[in-house]
Amino acid sequence: MKFNTKVRYGIRAMLEIALDESENGIFQKDIAERQLISVKYLDSIIASLKTSGLIYNRKGKKSGYILSRKPSEIKILDIYRAFEPGISIVDCMAPHYICQLSNTCGVRNFWKGLNQTIEDYFSSRTLEDLLKEHKSALKRSTLSL
């Protein structure tokens, strides 16, 4: 199972925004540069994050991006849902999917349990957790130099 690039880059972009401590927010070009994402591709990612209410422009069009809530209040599942309606590891777990075998399927509960485990994990982790892990990784890499 793989998560699409919009989800993965969206999480990385949110981390960059959370790391920025300036009053005016971080510019899209800086996020792109630091995360090695093209500015053009980042456009759609930023648009989805804004539409979902996770970020906003500090002072209008020529300003940087800021989180709409504290990192401790933003679950990784919130970021995921900015790009996907829900976690569906197999087609039959997708909302509104009708499977002809659902009443007699011997593996449906297995997929349902795995799907729920992933969703629970995404719900249990916050952007604050990623910030702490990132800062810890930076500290370790500095110590090893």
Side-chain angles (χ1 to χ4, degrees):
M1 177 184 174
K2 289 176 98 176
F3 293 98
N4 68 44
T5 55
K6 284 192 176 187
V7 170
R8 296 191 329 261
Y9 291 0
I11 294 170
R12 289 170 39 194
M14 288 292 287
L15 180 61
E16 281 299 328
I17 295 167
L19 285 166
D20 185 77
E21 296 178 356
S22 68
E23 239 179 69
N24 293 325
I26 186 169
F27 292 106
Q28 184 172 325
K29 66 178 180 59
D30 295 327
I31 297 169
E33 186 177 298
R34 292 176 193 163
Q35 289 297 321
L36 305 175
I37 304 169
S38 80
V39 174
K40 185 174 181 163
Y41 191 58
L42 191 55
D43 275 339
S44 66
I45 292 167
I46 292 292
S48 294
L49 293 171
K50 281 174 67 174
T51 299
S52 67
L54 293 171
I55 62 172
Y56 65 95
N57 287 89
R58 180 65 178 182
K59 293 182 180 176
K61 204 169 191 168
K62 297 274 184 182
S63 66
Y65 294 100
I66 293 181
L67 298 176
S68 63
R69 305 187 305 260
K70 295 176 188 174
S72 61
E73 297 172 356
I74 299 174
K75 296 178 182 194
I76 303 306
L77 187 61
D78 297 331
I79 302 170
Y80 179 88
R81 285 188 174 146
F83 305 99
E84 297 288 338
I87 295 174
S88 302
I89 60 167
V90 291
D91 289 339
C92 65
M93 293 295 105
H96 311 298
Y97 183 84
I98 298 171
C99 177
Q100 295 174 334
L101 299 176
S102 64
N103 291 334
T104 59
C105 182
V107 294
R108 181 170 169 75
N109 283 335
F110 170 78
W111 295 126
K112 187 176 182 179
L114 181 57
N115 207 77
Q116 189 62 53
T117 299
I118 294 168
E119 192 167 317
D120 291 346
Y121 183 72
F122 275 49
S123 288
S124 72
R125 304 294 305 272
T126 66
L127 191 53
E128 179 71 26
D129 297 327
L130 297 186
L131 275 170
K132 288 176 184 174
E133 290 170 17
H134 177 76
K135 289 175 182 178
S136 178
L138 285 177
K139 194 180 287 186
R140 283 193 309 272
S141 75
T142 305
L143 293 175
S144 66
L145 295 176

